[in-house]
Amino acid sequence: MQLSTDPSQPAAPGATKAPRHVAIIMDGNGRWAKKRGLPRLAGHREGVGRIQKVLETLDARGVQHVTLFAFSTENWNRPPGEVQGIMDLLSLALKQQTCQLHEKNVRVIHLGSVDQLSPALRQGVAEAQKLTCDNTGVTLNVAFNYGGRDEILEAVRRIIRDQIPPEAVDQRLFSSYLYSAHSPDPDLIIRTGGELRISNFLLWQSAYSEYYHTPTLWPDLEAAELEQALETFASRQRRFGNVTSEA
Ligand code: FPP
């Protein structure tokens, strides 16, 4: 897809209406399950179910890029049963939802490394990307086995491998070596579940992102609160290090 603006650059100062790119840290699935006396995986299952509604709301509001933090490089440290359960959920979602997403003109892209993924999951990811690669609607980035620091290190390795001269390495070039090269930097990052941290998510890309955090657990996130997050974003004045015209 041809982007109308340089993806490595933030939106123009004052441009705060609808975010072009919303990234979400979907936290709180485990607590959602615990509150109901259910196994943690039931929370992840419910969390997957929430995704479609969220995508519909964001699409209706004109958001063009959505990034979901589904599994971090640190999440491998969770109990093996939970890790396997999340892998299975992703496989199932790819099988069940790729065609639907394709019909809705959504382009699906994986952010992260496929190295530790099972051959079947790798194949599922590759097929979803291939099927949807020419779609021109919403770009859905699924950050899976993703870590912001690893992404930066991988970009550095590739730049060195490509023998790019040091003087040619600027912000734009660096952004083009990240997993997210095809999307502009996120305008808005939403974190559910009440924690106030970035957890190794889009470290380079979030330099000028606005944050919205809420104690609401991910499976409980309703369209109304998402609208609230978008309203909050629209009311922010983004200065990108500059001063306001009134100052
Ligand atoms: C955070 O909640 C959630 C995760 C680490 C996993 C989220 C994964 C999914 C929703 C499934 C991925 C699949 C697709 C289709 C994208 P938590 O377990 O840290 O919750 P807690 O903080 O309450 O323990």
Side-chain angles (χ1 to χ4, degrees):
M1 186 177 70
Q2 198 63 41
L3 291 166
S4 54
T5 48
D6 178 355
S8 68
Q9 296 302 310
T16 51
K17 299 299 175 237
R20 279 182 302 175
H21 182 175
V22 174
I24 308 180
I25 301 176
M26 307 180 288
D27 199 9
N29 295 344
R31 278 165 287 163
W32 183 94
K34 195 173 173 202
K35 267 171 58 181
R36 289 161 178 80
L38 297 169
R40 292 177 57 82
L41 263 178
H44 295 314
R45 214 171 290 122
E46 192 71 17
V48 174
R50 180 58 54 186
I51 291 173
Q52 197 185 346
K53 189 80 206 144
V54 165
L55 286 180
E56 279 168 19
T57 304
L58 294 176
D59 187 23
R61 288 289 302 257
V63 174
Q64 295 159 287
H65 301 258
V66 178
T67 299
L68 300 175
F69 201 6
F71 190 84
S72 76
T73 44
E74 290 71 34
N75 287 153
W76 291 104
N77 298 322
R78 292 187 176 209
E82 182 173 347
V83 170
Q84 189 55 51
I86 295 175
M87 298 291 153
D88 293 346
L89 280 175
L90 182 68
S91 288
L92 195 67
L94 284 168
K95 270 198 200 97
Q96 292 181 339
Q97 288 173 29
T98 301
C99 286
Q100 248 173 297
L101 291 168
H102 183 48
E103 277 162 23
K104 291 183 180 163
N105 198 22
V106 173
R107 180 173 63 148
V108 179
I109 296 186
H110 169 237
L111 306 189
S113 167
V114 290
D115 284 351
Q116 291 123 299
L117 305 186
S118 70
L121 193 46
R122 279 189 207 195
Q123 193 184 337
V125 168
E127 283 171 4
Q129 294 195 139
K130 189 165 176 230
L131 179 70
T132 63
C133 67
D134 292 326
N135 289 347
T136 55
V138 171
T139 295
L140 173 62
N141 298 310
V142 182
F144 198 90
N145 192 22
Y146 171 89
R149 287 185 171 181
D150 277 356
E151 179 184 36
I152 289 170
L153 287 177
E154 187 54 27
V156 171
R157 288 186 200 108
R158 289 176 52 220
I159 288 169
I160 293 170
R161 253 184 246 128
D162 283 354
Q163 301 184 345
I164 307 287
E167 57 279 9
V169 180
D170 57 14
Q171 294 189 21
R172 188 187 163 97
L173 177 123
F174 194 79
S175 294
S176 76
Y177 273 83
L178 296 172
Y179 296 132
S180 62
H182 52 278
S183 286
D185 288 344
D187 301 294
L188 174 63
I189 296 182
I190 297 173
R191 181 169 191 149
T192 60
E195 309 289 0
L196 305 181
R197 51 178 172 258
I198 191 63
S199 300
N200 203 15
F201 186 46
L202 303 177
L203 296 181
W204 169 274
Q205 300 90 328
S206 63
Y208 284 101
S209 302
E210 297 290 327
Y211 280 87
Y212 178 90
H213 51 83
T214 170
T216 303
L217 306 175
W218 170 252
D220 289 330
L221 187 76
E222 299 284 350
E225 185 166 11
L226 197 51
E227 297 280 358
Q228 169 69 39
L230 297 174
E231 293 301 321
T232 304
F233 172 82
S235 71
R236 302 247 179 103
Q237 193 173 43
R238 304 182 77 190
R239 293 195 291 276
F240 303 103
N242 207 330
V243 289
T244 59
S245 48
E246 306 89 60

